[in-house]
Amino acid sequence: MHLTTRLQRHARRCADERGFTMLLAVFVLTVTTLLLGGAYIAVLDDTALSRNDLDQKRAYAAAQAGIQAYNYQLNQNVNYWETTCTALSGTVPGSTDAGAKENYTVNVLVASTAPSNDQVCDTANPIATLIEGSSAGTAAGTFRVSSTGTSVNSSGTVLATRTIVAQYRAPSFLNFVYYT
């Protein structure tokens, strides 16, 4: 008789559903945690790509700022290209992202038809060293500058670099003639 009461008590305990809700709650929390963890890992892998893309765009914008700074100098002094062979450099203002900065450096490029072998800019003879000669085809009568933009983090590490080359030509009468 003692055995049957014991079995009945055990059967009643097994039929009791008081702990079922706790098991269901633990199961739902475990599945939710796994799903959120997987989503976090998937997003975490993409943040490095997004940061790299952002740094490249910032470097390109800094290179464009360098070209605009050179255009400003040319607008202030039309003979600026003749008198200055040194690099024009600066920092893009207003760029603050965790201490990151964008810098640019603008260099005047020596013409491929320059007479010297060492290809050095010469302010004493700027036309011979900077202006493309007649053998250059459609580039004849032009000079070029290159602007290199860099995105630098707060510790000074260069994150991305982009270079733009701009070609300048003096305007002629044909630029303003209306052909009919």
Side-chain angles (χ1 to χ4, degrees):
M1 187 80 131
H2 184 50
L3 184 61
T4 53
T5 1
R6 197 182 226 182
L7 285 175
Q8 286 173 347
R9 219 178 325 147
H10 184 65
R12 267 185 270 141
R13 219 181 297 144
C14 288
D16 191 10
E17 296 181 5
R18 283 186 282 185
F20 179 74
T21 307
M22 179 62 79
L23 288 177
L24 183 63
V26 168
F27 177 74
V28 168
L29 285 174
T30 303
V31 169
T32 304
T33 303
L34 289 174
L35 288 174
L36 288 174
Y40 178 74
I41 295 298
V43 169
L44 188 65
D45 289 342
D46 288 344
T47 56
L49 295 173
S50 297
R51 183 63 196 192
N52 186 33
D53 182 55
L54 180 64
D55 290 331
Q56 290 176 3
K57 288 178 181 175
R58 286 183 169 181
Y60 184 74
Q64 286 179 327
I67 294 295
Q68 293 303 317
Y70 193 82
N71 285 341
Y72 174 78
Q73 295 297 330
L74 278 177
N75 287 332
Q76 298 302 311
N77 178 10
V78 293
N79 297 323
Y80 181 75
W81 67 274
E82 294 177 335
T83 59
T84 308
C85 286
T86 58
L88 173 68
S89 61
T91 300
V92 178
S95 56
T96 56
D97 175 32
K101 294 188 296 185
E102 291 80 44
N103 303 319
Y104 62 84
T105 303
V106 181
N107 293 307
V108 179
L109 298 176
V110 178
S112 61
T113 57
S116 66
N117 290 336
D118 55 354
Q119 298 289 313
V120 176
C121 176
D122 183 12
T123 56
N125 191 6
I127 292 177
T129 58
L130 299 178
I131 300 293
E132 291 290 339
S134 60
S135 65
T138 58
T142 63
F143 74 97
R144 299 177 306 144
V145 296
S146 72
S147 176
T148 302
T150 56
S151 177
V152 182
N153 67 7
S154 59
S155 64
T157 305
V158 175
L159 302 172
T161 302
R162 293 289 176 265
T163 301
I164 299 173
V165 176
Q167 186 171 356
Y168 293 90
R169 176 187 306 273
S172 71
F173 174 72
L174 294 177
N175 292 61
F176 305 103
V177 173
Y178 178 72
Y179 292 102
T180 59

